[in-house]
Amino acid sequence: LRPPWRARSSIAMSRMSRFHLSSGVRIETDTQYDIQFRAAYAGTALAFRDRLIIEWNKTQQRQTFADQKRVYYLSLEFLMGRALDNAMLNVGLKDVAQDGLSELGFRVEDVINQEHDAALGNGGLGRLAACFLDSLATLNYPAWGYGLRYRYGIFKQEIIDGYQVEIPDYWLDFNPWEFPRHDITVDIQFYGHVIRYQDEYGKTVNSWQGGETVQAVAYDVPIPGYGTKTTNNLRLWSSKATSGEFDFQKFNAGDYESAVADQQRAETISAVLYPNDNLERGKELRLKQQYFWCAASLYDIVRRFKKTRRAWREFPDQVAIQLNDTHPTLAIVELQRILVDLEGLDWDEAWHIVTHTFGYTNHTVLPEALEKWSVPLMQNLLPRHLQIIYDINLFFLQSVEKRFPEDRDMLARVSVIEESHPKMVRMAHLAIIGSHKVNGVAELHSDLIKTTIFKDFVAIYGPDKFTNVTNGITPRRWLHQANPRLSDLIASKLGGFEFLKDLTLLDQLESFVDDKAFRSEWAEIKYANKIRLAKLIKDTTGYSVNPRALFDVQVKRIHEYKRQQLNIFGVIHRYLKIKSLSPEECQKLVPRVSIFGGKAAPGYWMAKTIIHLINNVAAVINKDADVGDLLKVIFIEDYNVSKAEIICPASDISEHISTAGTEASGTSNMKFVLNGGLIIGTCDGANIEITREIGEQNIFLFGTLAEDVEEIRHRHRYDGFRLDENLARVFEEIQKGTFGDADDFSALISSITDHGDYYLVSDDFHSYLTTQELVDEAFQDQDEWIAKSITSVARMGFFSTDRVINEYADSIWNVEPLPEE
Ligand code: 26W
């Protein structure tokens, strides 16, 4: 932080009074810098918040008045990052704020950096939801996000002695971006039992009684669009004890302690984000979170619909609900319950409405990530919902049986209920049956779900129910905000910032590829961004890295399928090679900085082992005088959205090297390329479409193809397994203890050597190394490298979430934008 100097001008004084009013801090007299910075942040944030509120109210009124179809995006995760910079840029007043703050002696970046990330997500799925909100507002769609207001977001990661340590992320100390709506509450029921009886007209009534209730309270977050007045709403639910239950009965009975315990139990529901990514663990509290959030959101959506006094059959013409993975699948069951049990509709009529309302997006094919809930657990927590699930399944299976009378196995395969011990509810099956469209998030992934996990459903419903919508990223945050200098340079060539609203306009950059001055400005900006990252590295790890070296980055959740182990084994190989060369030979090498970042789920032991190995390798290599600048290894702790904004603009190359067929899409690949970094990757997820767009000559692809993976795994299992020679050499070095206690890494090694190498690390190691050599070679021709960088950026227009949202709107939601006249 650069200390602010004392401000004297009168404009500055009047702005300070805003700080004073909002924070109780007097900037001109308070000498504690951190307090001053916090006050500057609070004052600026509140000033922008005021502006947002005005447009937010107008937007809500406009949408109510227009009374057209709305989109509801249900996501258990919204990985928003910081809001202030985004608000400044979207409202278009960052310059004004910058001037005002500098009069007070502050740099705007320092003020922006005061904000705590809103980290209500694990990784790709949560960040995608955040990018979607930005595009929905920017494109003027009448849209709401619904999520949970976790008191603790994803944990903060510290690296201590090379190990990941998790620290709770309490982020709500001062959050000017949320508005508690104590008037908007919903009572949510759990447990209890179902009573079935005939009413006076002989109709069967199912009544869910007893159990306990918890109150959902709405907290609203304004979502401003870029360069538009539309400001949508993200509604996050917070849990608390229902007032009646907590205070009076037990309190009066003198049972204070247990009354407080009840309150705490209620608040636990929205207390913490589950930190697993792609791993399902079947915990009751997680199911409670899911129902709590689905039921509150549905109540809200239905309440809004009812105000229009339309007939129920018009519900799907007014409401589109998108399920971000299977986490909100209970919303399907809840809507059926509301319509049948509470509103008295016939089953079939209700089911027609339900199935025309929902769309389901799948984000993973990993078997361990597919949600299943045990029937006894569900029976206990949501007895009426379980009955409804059984009925949905019964009617579904009856229709399947009619169409496939010969195929008994088919019924067992597609059933919502898995006949295991205990029985399990398969949420993906329920999501498919209850939706009118199912989509994957990249072409390969969408093809894979149709031919593997959901194959039978394609046979049942036909291929049209299954579709692809390839992911994207918002260029506002991931180009304009993260890389302002590059954005300015592009704008100077394209005649303005229109490309931020229509990213395909970037294609005009291609005509400047041969422009020498342009190239050197382009290269200079990349270099400046690398200096900025080098500073972050110095500040957080203490290591100095040479910004002229090739920056090779892999930042994402740590997971065996994403294969950070392949990368670090490659680094060890490089290290051994450097050690074996003469000083003259070393002269010819390209200096490299291998940069890692990412969190491991706290219970994912193998992922934590990979982090440990990376850090131990870094400790050895970084202090080896023989190596010097030729190789540095960095683990950036606590990778999050704000750090991504510094890291993505600073890569020369980034790694997207999952085993083919395992990464549904990937979105950081897009962020890196959009910022002029090249990528090394496997033929997986969106890498394939990136290649198609930017051209094969601009990407470094390697490794096994998805279609061959199964056969190779089979070979490993039955014909034995041959370890790659170079990898064997790397393992020897680890086993010698070069990188700390060899026992620490024995399981990591034996997962490859003795347990079938499920992720094909050894199979792909040779082509990985060969491709890395091509990277080195290419980097030596900087002119050509920059040309590739510019060409790639020019061809990235397809990967904007604006394109993505328009595709969802046209092919799944059937909603229209509602711009301000
Ligand atoms: C139930 C535990 C759990 C938690 C999170 C299972 C699965 C998830 C997410 C679906 C994991 C996730 O974030 N998937 C990622 O979604 C991105 C957005 O579509 C894709 O780009 C990534 O490839 C995919 O891994």
Side-chain angles (χ1 to χ4, degrees), residues 77 122-129 132 274-282 286 290 324-327 361-364 366 368-371 373 440-442 445 471 557 561-562 662-670 685-686 808:
E77 305 189 8
N122 276 286
L125 163 133
R127 183 55 232 178
L128 185 74
F132 278 12
Y274 273 88
N276 297 326
D277 182 272
N278 276 304
L279 180 72
E280 169 51 41
R281 287 177 161 275
R286 167 94 172 176
Q290 294 186 349
N324 200 18
D325 216 274
T326 56
H327 317 155
T361 306
N362 172 279
H363 295 263
T364 181
L366 300 188
E368 65 272 29
L370 297 179
E371 286 192 297
W373 291 106
V441 291
H445 168 66
N471 281 169
R557 286 299 289 254
Y561 88 81
K562 294 178 189 280
T662 62
E663 188 70 275
S665 162
T667 45
S668 77
N669 41 8
M670 303 167 191
Y808 277 96

Side-chain angles (χ1 to χ4, degrees), residues 46-298:
L46 292 173
F48 274 90
R49 183 178 100 149
D50 289 348
R51 292 193 74 93
L52 295 191
I53 298 173
I54 295 166
E55 295 309 328
W56 191 23
N57 285 331
K58 284 195 202 156
T59 302
Q60 297 313 317
Q61 275 170 22
R62 186 162 69 243
Q63 293 179 0
T64 305
F65 187 72
D67 192 28
Q68 64 185 50
K69 189 169 183 179
R70 290 183 175 90
V71 189
Y72 296 101
Y73 198 76
L74 267 57
S75 179
L76 210 39
E77 305 189 8
F78 287 94
L79 192 45
M80 303 295 283
R82 289 177 178 148
L84 175 58
D85 201 4
N86 182 249
M88 288 175 168
L89 290 167
N90 283 17
V91 170
L93 290 174
K94 188 168 180 181
D95 299 351
V96 176
Q98 197 151 7
D99 292 348
L101 283 165
S102 92
E103 273 183 69
L104 290 167
F106 294 99
R107 289 192 312 191
V108 69
E109 311 88 76
D110 293 337
V111 173
I112 286 167
N113 287 338
Q114 293 295 310
E115 185 173 348
H116 201 116
D117 270 36
L120 307 185
N122 276 286
L125 163 133
R127 183 55 232 178
L128 185 74
C131 286
F132 278 12
L133 293 181
D134 183 75
S135 284
L136 283 162
T138 300
L139 297 169
N140 301 304
Y141 283 104
W144 289 62
Y146 276 104
L148 274 185
R149 179 185 179 266
Y150 303 108
R151 212 156 356 113
Y152 296 91
I154 188 70
F155 61 85
K156 283 176 98 59
Q157 177 194 55
E158 285 186 13
I159 302 296
I160 298 179
D161 297 333
Y163 292 95
Q164 166 174 298
V165 174
E166 300 95 23
I167 316 287
D169 168 49
Y170 184 76
W171 68 292
L172 291 168
D173 239 0
F174 173 65
N175 179 9
W177 307 106
E178 65 172 14
F179 293 80
R181 300 292 306 267
H182 295 291
D183 53 327
I184 300 179
T185 62
V186 188
D187 282 349
I188 309 295
Q189 188 178 358
F190 292 107
Y191 307 107
H193 54 272
V194 180
I195 292 182
R196 181 169 295 193
Y197 60 89
Q198 314 274 306
D199 71 5
E200 54 207 294
Y201 310 104
K203 199 172 164 186
T204 304
V205 176
N206 289 287
S207 172
W208 179 18
Q209 300 184 347
E212 61 184 44
T213 63
V214 177
Q215 193 176 58
V217 183
Y219 282 71
D220 287 350
V221 182
I223 307 294
Y226 174 79
T228 171
K229 304 224 156 185
T230 299
T231 302
N232 282 332
N233 196 18
L234 167 60
R235 178 157 287 176
L236 302 177
W237 298 104
S238 182
S239 62
K240 64 182 257 193
T242 43
S243 40
E245 268 181 36
F246 169 61
D247 11 18
F248 302 114
Q249 291 142 7
K250 287 188 174 172
F251 203 63
N252 288 342
D255 198 359
Y256 179 73
E257 271 175 47
S258 104
V260 173
D262 281 355
Q263 167 146 343
Q264 296 233 320
R265 218 156 53 87
E267 288 177 3
T268 300
I269 292 178
S270 62
V272 52
L273 166 78
Y274 273 88
N276 297 326
D277 182 272
N278 276 304
L279 180 72
E280 169 51 41
R281 287 177 161 275
K283 288 264 200 288
E284 182 180 61
L285 181 60
R286 167 94 172 176
L287 186 59
K288 271 187 152 175
Q289 287 187 335
Q290 294 186 349
Y291 179 63
F292 172 82
W293 149 67
C294 289
S297 306
L298 254 253

